[in-house]
Amino acid sequence: AQSVTQPDIHITVSEGASLELRCNYSYGATPYLFWYVQSPGQGLQLLLKYFSGDTLVQGIKGFEAEFKRSQSSFNLRKPSVHWSDAAEYFCAVKGSGGSNYKLTFGKGTLLTVNP
Amino acid sequence: GAVVSQHPSRVICKSGTSVKIECRSLDFQATTMFWYRQFPKKSLMLMATSNEGSKATYEQGVEKDKFLINHASLTLSTLTVTSAHPEDSSFYICSARTGGLVTEAFFGQGTRLTVV
């Protein structure tokens, strides 16, 4: 069964600082990986996704993530954080086999941005 | 991207009553819709998967008689919480996807249910 671990429950950074949110997955084959962002009381917005090809993927709002098979990781990065980036971030994995589109989410990382 | 609209965004109901939440795909046909429940400071828990015109597939531990899911058309799925109890209070989120293997799912904005 697939699983996702987000080791950091809460991260605080200063505005303008760089950011890295960690995500480790468990899946027997090549997974499909996603990062979503959720503002309070809102649904989820897709930041970026990895299906295949280039292991460094670019997303919206200046975010990027790198798939590292050897480390089973898909960490999210942003070079300079803005106050509006404060939100909850979820990493998710979907198995690449079959037609089941069930997503497995990590527990999320809450990002606080200090002025 | 595609838009998924969830209604209502917030609802308060009395214990013992039923409440219906709607999930609509506004600009695409959703062959599959998913219903999640999110507890405070917790991740999303998949409750069920529904395909248009067929019965929903519930995850283990989810009471299908309590959480009724209907996916009557390619643009609408509904979740009805029957005989609601205060412990059913939660944030419910739907998502929808088109057919094919390599596609993303689009999420609604969620519904905050409070049972008093």
Side-chain angles (χ1 to χ4, degrees):
Chain A
Q2 60 211 42
S3 66
V4 176
T5 301
Q6 292 181 248
D8 305 305
I9 297 174
H10 187 189
I11 284 183
T12 300
V13 299
S14 298
E15 191 169 15
S18 63
L19 171 70
E20 182 169 35
L21 302 182
R22 296 184 290 166
C23 172
N24 293 97
Y25 69 90
S26 174
Y27 183 67
T30 300
Y32 295 156
L33 295 160
F34 307 81
W35 273 100
Y36 288 89
V37 61
Q38 183 182 33
S39 297
Q42 300 294 314
L44 275 68
Q45 181 182 23
L46 180 68
L47 288 175
L48 47 76
K49 60 192 177 189
Y50 171 78
F51 287 165
S52 65
D54 193 346
T55 55
L56 183 64
V57 293
Q58 303 296 320
I60 62 171
K61 304 184 180 186
F63 286 93
E64 67 177 26
E66 185 170 13
F67 170 60
K68 292 185 177 181
R69 184 189 303 275
S70 61
Q71 299 177 19
S72 297
S73 69
F74 188 57
N75 294 347
L76 182 71
R77 300 192 295 250
K78 185 170 185 177
S80 178
V81 170
H82 189 262
W83 64 266
S84 60
D85 293 325
E88 185 96 33
Y89 290 80
F90 292 96
C91 181
V93 63
K94 169 198 171 303
S96 55
S99 59
N100 182 1
Y101 200 80
K102 179 161 51 175
L103 289 175
T104 300
F105 287 86
K107 294 188 183 298
T109 298
L110 178 64
L111 174 65
T112 299
V113 180
N114 287 334
Chain B
V3 179
V4 175
S5 177
Q6 203 172 325
H7 178 80
S9 58
R10 191 178 294 268
V11 59
I12 300 173
C13 70
K14 292 184 177 180
S15 289
T17 63
S18 295
V19 61
K20 180 184 287 187
I21 302 169
E22 292 187 348
C23 179
R24 293 181 184 273
S25 56
L26 298 186
D27 50 3
F28 68 101
Q29 293 186 325
T31 55
T32 308
M33 287 187 170
F34 306 85
W35 287 95
Y36 294 85
R37 181 172 179 176
Q38 186 177 30
F39 295 93
K41 301 189 184 300
K42 295 288 187 181
S43 184
L44 283 77
M45 180 192 79
L46 179 65
M47 299 174 66
T49 303
S50 71
N51 292 294
E52 184 265 339
S54 61
K55 289 184 178 180
T57 301
Y58 289 80
E59 295 298 303
Q60 191 173 11
V62 178
E63 299 176 62
K64 57 183 67 176
D65 293 333
K66 179 166 189 61
F67 298 100
L68 300 179
I69 291 172
N70 183 277
H71 192 165
S73 77
L74 285 171
T75 60
L76 174 64
S77 176
T78 60
L79 167 67
T80 302
V81 182
T82 63
S83 187
H85 289 155
E87 54 263 33
D88 298 327
S89 298
S90 194
F91 194 61
Y92 294 87
I93 305 177
C94 73
S95 72
R97 66 177 288 261
T98 59
L101 289 178
V102 188
T103 59
E104 67 180 87
F106 301 93
F107 285 80
Q109 68 269 42
T111 297
R112 171 69 61 193
L113 170 63
T114 303
V115 184
V116 297

